[in-house]
Amino acid sequence: MGLQYLHTMVRVTDLDASLDFYCNKLGLQEHSRYDSEQGRFTLVMLCAPDDKGNADAEKAPLVELTYNWDPEEYTGGRNFGHLAFRVDNIYETCQSLMDQGVTINRPPRDGRMAFIRSPDNISIELLQRGDSLPQAEPWASMGNTGTW
C-alpha cells in the first residue's frame, strides 16, 4: 500500500491572528490560498521553509488552516480537522482497511476521497494519487457511517 503524508487541517477563528502565529512567530510560509464564496470558507496551506521544494512538487507536507467565514464555536476538538494521506489505490486501501475491521465513515464514492477514524476518533482523510479512479461498486452506492 503506497502511503504519503499530505497535510493536517486546523480550523481557525481568526485568520489574521493565526497567520501571525504560524508564519511570523513559528516561521511557516504561506504556500497557497483558496477562497470559496459558495462554501464561505478560506483555506490557507502553509509549509515549513525546509519543506518548500516538496510542497511545490507534491503539495505535501502542509498545514491547512481552514477559516469558516460564518462564526462558529469549536468545542470537543472540532477545531482540529483531520490528517490526510495520499494512497496509490483508494479502493484497495479502503477494502484492506475494512477487511481489518476499520469503518469507512465516508466511502470513496467519487473514486478520489474517503474518511476513516482512528481508535481515538481522529478523522483521517485518504486521497487517491493522481486522477480519481472510475466510480465502482460497492463504493459508488455506499452511504456514510457516523461522522467524519
Side-chain angles (χ1 to χ4, degrees), residues 92-147:
E92 289 176 6
T93 299
C94 287
Q95 186 62 57
S96 173
L97 289 164
M98 280 180 53
D99 291 347
Q100 296 175 72
V102 175
T103 299
I104 308 300
N105 300 98
R106 193 277 192 194
R109 290 183 291 273
D110 55 4
R112 180 184 177 305
M113 176 179 64
F115 277 88
I116 58 174
R117 291 229 177 224
S118 76
D120 295 308
N121 216 24
I122 300 297
S123 186
I124 298 173
E125 179 181 21
L126 303 171
L127 292 167
Q128 173 63 41
R129 182 180 306 280
D131 294 333
S132 298
L133 298 180
Q135 288 185 333
E137 292 297 340
W139 314 107
S141 59
M142 189 180 290
N144 292 341
T145 301
T147 60

Side-chain angles (χ1 to χ4, degrees), residues 27-81:
L28 298 180
Q29 300 173 344
E30 185 169 327
H31 183 266
S32 61
R33 183 182 291 238
Y34 173 74
D35 292 312
S36 173
E37 292 283 337
Q38 182 179 3
R40 300 191 45 73
F41 64 86
T42 298
L43 301 180
V44 179
M45 305 303 274
L46 306 175
C47 68
D50 290 352
D51 289 326
K52 184 163 178 10
N54 285 341
D56 290 343
E58 297 286 331
K59 294 187 174 55
L62 298 166
V63 173
E64 173 187 318
L65 301 182
T66 297
Y67 173 69
N68 292 308
W69 299 353
D70 299 319
E72 181 178 344
E73 183 178 332
Y74 301 119
T75 60
R78 179 155 159 68
N79 58 321
F80 174 79

